[in-house]
Amino acid sequence: MAIVRFDEVYAFKSEKSKYVCVLLDFKKQIPVDVLPNRKKEYLLNYFQKIPLEERKKVKYACSDMYEVYRDVVHKVFPCSCMLLDYFHLSQDFHRKMNEVRIKVMKGYKDDKASDEYYLLKKFNWLLFKNPEDEDKYGRLFDVERERKYNSHFKSYMNYYDLRRKLLEINNDLTICYSLKLELVDFYSKSTIDNAQVNLEHLIRSFIDTNIEEMIKFSNNLINWKQEIINSFTIVGTEYKVEADKGQVVVCNKKVNNAIIENRNKIIKCIKNNANGYTNWSRFRNRVMYVLDPSATFSLEPREK
């Protein structure tokens, strides 16, 4: 069973495209190939050169919300199931939520010394954190967390207090934050059996807000509904060590694009370290070599 992940990275700009399309093998975590173009015509032409029997071995394909990838997968991988990566969906929601924040903040632009503008400008990042998020001092929103002196409010406050004041500024912000928690809850508690029902409830929650940005996000949920449901498919198991107890536990494994995002950062480093590339073949060869841990340099033939 083959699992392929698609993503793009801004690393090699040419006349035809400014994005590099990265194809990654989910199991081996190494690149299948790196392509200079992510346009539909180019991808179709590339994959159709691969024998049909080989393409039938691909059972799952995972990508972001780029429509071209979905169209290409359906046409060239007849036996595959398309999945949407959670990270990119969450990223899209954060963009919509940030639009709401900016809209609210603009209402205070004539009074930049106000509490509202101060919070929305300096502590807006608290809106994008979850209740269970931690730093080196513990949970961010622990009500008992040590309070430090805030010169603007002239009082001792912690992140719990600041977030509470943030959410009191505007009702739309409060609703958006509540929807953010609902989205996190959906992904943490849903399974392939109940994902469809839970997703329908989630979509209704976004539509009922009557907030323009949230309704736009609900359209994305509707458009990618089946791919979101498919993302809860269990494709294997993996072993993890619990940080607090040190015990080894067996966990179900779902497909996501976490590893490919890491590889994208490496690709950007390759480009930056060379101050950019102008020759595509050299750039591709360098990327394929660096991202393949089994590729080693030797002056002598390797013994089998």
Side-chain angles (χ1 to χ4, degrees):
M1 178 179 69
I3 304 174
V4 178
R5 288 178 289 191
F6 292 75
D7 205 2
E8 64 280 336
V9 58
Y10 185 78
F12 187 92
K13 188 175 181 180
S14 65
E15 295 180 358
K16 296 182 179 180
S17 178
K18 60 182 179 180
Y19 289 102
V20 172
C21 180
V22 183
L23 308 176
L24 198 75
D25 186 298
F26 177 75
K27 290 185 177 180
K28 297 179 180 178
Q29 298 186 2
I30 59 174
V32 176
D33 205 348
V34 181
L35 309 177
N37 197 319
R38 66 166 188 163
K39 293 181 179 178
K40 186 175 181 178
E41 184 179 353
Y42 179 88
L43 293 177
L44 286 173
N45 184 55
Y46 171 83
F47 284 114
Q48 285 170 350
K49 291 179 181 177
I50 301 173
L52 180 60
E53 289 304 313
E54 288 296 315
R55 288 188 272 126
K56 284 184 176 180
K57 294 179 182 178
V58 176
K59 299 301 179 185
Y60 298 98
C62 183
S63 76
D64 57 16
M65 291 185 290
Y66 183 44
E67 293 274 0
V68 168
Y69 291 149
R70 178 166 62 179
D71 293 342
V72 169
V73 166
H74 287 163
K75 289 183 179 179
V76 301
F77 300 123
C79 300
S80 69
C81 177
M82 186 70 183
L83 305 97
L84 180 65
D85 178 52
Y86 165 64
F87 170 79
H88 289 94
L89 184 68
S90 176
Q91 192 178 51
D92 182 62
F93 171 78
H94 284 170
R95 281 194 290 264
K96 297 291 191 298
M97 186 176 179
N98 196 46
E99 289 174 10
V100 175
R101 176 194 69 84
I102 292 172
K103 185 189 297 184
V104 174
M105 189 174 71
K106 284 182 177 178
Y108 298 94
K109 65 179 181 180
D110 296 330
D111 186 13
K112 294 185 178 181
S114 65
D115 295 348
E116 292 82 2
Y117 191 89
Y118 168 78
L119 287 166
L120 290 166
K121 185 72 175 179
K122 187 170 183 178
F123 289 100
N124 62 80
W125 59 273
L126 293 176
L127 295 171
F128 305 99
K129 294 293 183 178
N130 300 325
E132 67 274 8
D133 287 346
E134 298 180 353
D135 61 8
K136 62 181 180 180
Y137 301 108
R139 292 204 171 189
L140 287 176
F141 302 125
D142 185 355
V143 67
E144 300 298 330
R145 187 186 175 103
E146 180 185 1
R147 287 172 168 80
K148 297 183 179 180
Y149 186 75
N150 184 291
S151 57
H152 178 89
F153 290 105
K154 295 180 173 56
S155 63
Y156 286 87
M157 307 178 73
N158 58 21
Y159 291 139
Y160 175 86
D161 303 321
L162 291 167
R163 184 189 61 171
R164 178 173 53 80
K165 282 186 171 293
L166 257 175
L167 296 177
E168 289 174 353
I169 293 174
N170 184 276
N171 189 50
D172 284 357
L173 277 179
T174 306
I175 293 172
C176 288
Y177 189 78
S178 176
L179 288 173
K180 168 187 168 55
L181 299 182
E182 194 170 339
L183 179 64
V184 172
D185 199 49
F186 164 71
Y187 269 96
S188 63
K189 295 183 178 179
S190 296
T191 64
I192 190 65
D193 297 321
N194 61 19
Q196 181 172 349
V197 174
N198 292 348
L199 181 57
E200 289 171 356
H201 287 306
L202 184 66
I203 292 170
R204 177 49 55 190
S205 295
F206 276 90
I207 294 174
D208 289 344
T209 62
N210 291 323
I211 300 173
E212 181 183 355
E213 293 78 8
M214 296 298 103
I215 292 176
K216 286 182 179 178
F217 182 74
S218 72
N219 292 335
N220 286 337
L221 294 178
I222 294 170
N223 186 28
W224 292 88
K225 185 176 181 180
Q226 190 56 54
E227 287 74 20
I228 294 172
I229 295 170
N230 294 343
S231 69
F232 290 92
T233 303
I234 304 300
V235 297
T237 56
E238 60 183 348
Y239 297 93
K240 290 185 178 180
V241 179
E242 293 182 337
D244 52 346
K245 299 179 181 179
Q247 296 180 345
V248 178
V249 294
V250 180
C251 304
N252 290 326
K253 193 172 186 178
K254 293 182 283 190
V255 180
N256 60 63
N257 270 13
I259 293 297
I260 203 170
E261 292 297 329
N262 171 270
R263 301 302 186 264
N264 285 347
K265 291 181 180 179
I266 296 175
I267 292 173
K268 288 182 179 180
C269 286
I270 293 172
K271 181 198 73 170
N272 294 336
N273 288 342
N275 292 321
Y277 282 81
T278 57
N279 185 297
W280 166 252
S281 295
R282 288 182 180 179
F283 177 70
R284 177 189 175 279
N285 290 342
R286 181 63 178 167
V287 170
M288 295 294 287
Y289 176 79
V290 171
L291 295 184
D292 187 353
S294 64
T296 58
F297 179 81
S298 176
L299 293 176
E300 301 293 337
R302 193 182 307 171
E303 294 184 3
K304 294 184 179 180

